[in-house]
Amino acid sequence: MLLNSGKVVAVSGYSGGTSYGAVFDLGRRDTIWNVAIHRKALGHDEFTPDIVSFTLLKLRFWFATA
């Protein structure tokens, strides 16, 4: 993934609305990044993840070496 700005931001859509998280600066502009994404569907007590419909994403970035 090429990131010209070197920055990422979380965007969340829920019930027709959109919210934006804080900007995270990876510290390198115009860099090609590798990214790994881990996904976990969350539940709560007796409510299963398919009822709660909330997914947690964890992203890990590291710059590609030539």
Side-chain angles (χ1 to χ4, degrees):
M1 163 189 310
L2 173 64
L3 292 175
N4 292 324
S5 70
K7 298 178 182 180
V8 293
V9 64
V11 178
S12 178
Y14 185 76
S15 297
T18 304
S19 63
Y20 298 88
V23 174
F24 182 78
D25 189 345
L26 295 171
R28 289 182 178 224
R29 297 178 50 97
D30 299 317
T31 302
I32 296 177
W33 293 88
N34 294 306
V35 60
I37 302 171
H38 300 275
R39 175 186 175 274
K40 182 175 182 177
L42 301 178
H44 181 69
D45 291 333
E46 70 273 6
F47 298 102
T48 60
D50 57 322
I51 293 172
V52 174
S53 297
F54 188 81
T55 303
L56 178 66
L57 298 172
K58 179 172 74 171
L59 286 73
R60 181 172 58 105
F61 293 89
W62 68 99
F63 56 90
T65 56

